[in-house]
Structures are given as structure tokens and as C-alpha cells.
């Protein structure tokens, strides 16, 4: 079993992002230049900074690969970035590809109707059977984050269609998909991998300001 640590940061508390951007690799800086929205730029910069923190490497060793950022000198290392609301999070592994997805509470929506379009019949029925709007949202986000994490782990075929990837009776992923659903405050976090794993969450304060 592999042991994973999710690093998470509240991006609203980080002011000195220009210094972090200056330490990005040339490929990351090139991509950052194409991002206009301030919030998205903040998420991008802090995601790459967290990747470096998780691996214990320099920021300029993070490069933009075809589908996701990678470690320039370590092709077997993997990281998954997710962001929602003010939070940015990263999980890192030296051996296995792991997917991470986080969801910060959204405004109330018709979760049952969304589930009918996005999930299997059993999953949608489980969400519709919730006793309150809050519980419907909790159940929807549990399955949604599982699927997103599985996609990022390269396990799309295990998380979509039939048979279902999630068993409402046990509230667990099924088949070859190893999955954990965690909470950090009001955030849902899901991790997915082909290998069994344990997981912990560590919230970090961000980079130290330089005088």
C-alpha cells in the first residue's frame, strides 16, 4: 500500500504570487501568459508551487507536458492538481499515477436532476433518496469527485458507464478502482488510483514572505 499526502492551501491568504511566478520554468511561464483571469492565474501558480513542495524540488523543475504538468527530470513521478473555491490542492507519488479532485460547496442546485443526466440509475436513485437538500449535495459531490479523480488517474474506463464505478449501498468504489473520499472543512476530496493507498491531508500556510 502506498502512503499519499494531499497538500492543500487557501489561496486567498497568499499575497506574494509574483515572486512565485518568477520561479516557474519557461514552459510554465509561457502557459501562464495565456491565462487572463486573475483567479485562474493564482490557481495555476500555486498549483505548480505545491507540486514542487510535495516533491521537494525547485519550481523550475516543473514543466508543462502534453496533458498536465510534469517533473522534468523524473518521468516516473506523478502529481495531480485540483482547485475549487479558494483552495488549491496537490497529491504526489513517486511510483503510481493518482488522481485528485476537490469540490468546495456550491450554491444549491437540483442535484437529483443533474445526477439523472450524469450518473447511473442506481447512483441517481441514491442521491434522490437523500433526506435533505444538503445530503443530496453531499452525495452528488461524493460521486462527482470520484469520477473526476479517476479521470485524472487515467482510469476513465473504470469510472464511466456500466457497470457502475460506485456502489451506493456500501458508499465505496468497486472493481479495480481504489478510492478514498475525505473531508477538509467543508471541502470534499476524492483520490483514485489502481493501487491500494492510504491518505492524509496537510494544510500548509504558503511560501514565506521575503523581506
Amino acid at each position: 500500500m502506498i502512503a499519499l499526502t494531499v497538500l492543500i492551501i487557501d489561496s486567498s491568504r497568499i499575497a506574494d504570487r509574483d515572486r512565485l511566478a518568477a520561479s516557474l520554468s519557461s514552459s510554465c511561464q509561457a502557459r501562464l501568459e495565456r491565462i487572463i483571469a486573475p483567479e485562474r492565474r493564482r490557481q495555476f501558480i500555486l498549483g505548480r508551487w505545491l507540486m514542487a513542495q510535495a516533491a521537494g524540488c525547485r519550481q523550475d523543475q516543473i514543466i508543462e507536458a502534453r496533458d498536465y504538468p510534469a517533473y522534468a527530470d523524473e518521468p516516473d513521478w506523478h502529481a495531480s492538481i485540483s482547485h475549487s473555491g479558494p483552495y488549491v490542492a496537490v497529491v504526489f507519488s513517486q511510483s503510481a499515477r493518482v488522481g485528485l479532485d476537490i469540490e468546495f460547496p456550491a450554491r444549491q442546485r437540483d442535484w437529483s436532476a443533474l445526477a439523472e443526466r450524469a450518473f447511473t440509475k442506481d447512483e441517481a436513485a441514491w442521491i434522490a433518496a437523500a433526506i435533505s437538500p444538503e445530503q443530496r449535495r453531499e452525495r452528488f459531490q461524493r460521486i462527482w469527485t470520484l469520477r473526476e479523480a479517476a479521470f485524472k488517474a487515467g482510469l476513465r474506463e473504470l469510472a464511466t458507464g456500466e457497470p457502475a464505478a460506485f456502489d451506493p449501498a456500501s458508499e465505496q468504489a468497486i472493481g479495480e478502482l481504489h478510492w478514498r473520499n475525505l473531508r477538509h472543512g467543508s471541502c470534499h476530496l476524492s483520490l483514485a488510483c489502481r493501487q491500494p493507498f492510504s491518505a492524509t491531508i496537510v494544510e500548509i500556510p504558503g511560501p514565506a514572505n521575503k523581506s
Side-chain angles (χ1 to χ4, degrees):
M1 179 179 290
I2 57 176
L4 301 174
T5 300
V6 177
L7 299 184
I8 189 167
I9 190 169
D10 184 344
S11 65
S12 66
R13 300 178 181 178
I14 309 303
D16 191 14
R17 292 182 292 273
D18 290 341
R19 175 170 60 86
L20 296 181
S23 300
L24 292 170
S25 66
S26 58
S27 63
C28 288
Q29 290 185 0
R31 184 173 174 189
L32 179 62
E33 289 178 358
R34 299 195 295 270
I35 300 174
I36 304 301
E39 181 179 4
R40 183 68 189 93
R41 288 176 62 87
R42 178 174 68 247
Q43 293 165 342
F44 181 93
I45 294 167
L46 290 175
R48 274 68 184 166
W49 179 78
L50 282 174
M51 279 185 64
Q53 295 299 303
C57 68
R58 301 189 313 273
Q59 265 188 270
D60 61 7
Q61 292 176 279
I62 310 299
I63 60 172
E64 294 301 309
R66 178 180 177 182
D67 298 315
Y68 46 81
Y71 296 95
D73 303 319
E74 299 289 349
D76 294 330
W77 289 7
H78 300 276
S80 181
I81 302 172
S82 186
H83 47 77
S84 183
Y87 289 103
V88 182
V90 163
V91 65
F92 164 77
S93 172
Q94 291 185 337
S95 57
R97 185 171 172 184
V98 182
L100 166 69
D101 190 59
I102 67 173
E103 286 292 330
F104 194 70
R107 68 186 186 279
Q108 283 295 346
R109 303 173 68 181
D110 189 341
W111 303 110
S112 295
L114 290 173
E116 288 177 0
R117 293 197 295 269
F119 302 152
T120 68
K121 290 182 179 179
D122 286 346
E123 292 165 348
W126 181 65
I127 291 168
I131 61 175
S132 68
E134 180 59 30
Q135 189 179 59
R136 279 192 289 276
R137 177 172 65 185
E138 293 275 328
R139 291 183 174 189
F140 182 94
Q141 291 186 335
R142 180 178 290 255
I143 301 176
W144 181 267
T145 57
L146 161 63
R147 277 175 162 67
E148 290 295 306
F151 293 164
K152 293 179 181 180
L155 302 173
R156 179 183 295 270
E157 75 282 4
L158 300 180
T160 58
E162 300 287 353
F166 181 83
D167 176 21
S170 64
E171 299 190 26
Q172 290 295 321
I174 56 180
E176 301 175 32
L177 182 62
H178 295 275
W179 169 72
R180 290 286 305 278
N181 181 258
L182 306 171
R183 294 295 299 271
H184 181 74
S186 54
C187 277
H188 276 273
L189 296 91
S190 278
L191 295 155
C193 184
R194 284 191 185 273
Q195 301 180 29
F197 64 89
S198 61
T200 57
I201 302 172
V202 176
E203 183 165 359
I204 59 177
N209 291 323
K210 290 187 177 180
S211 56

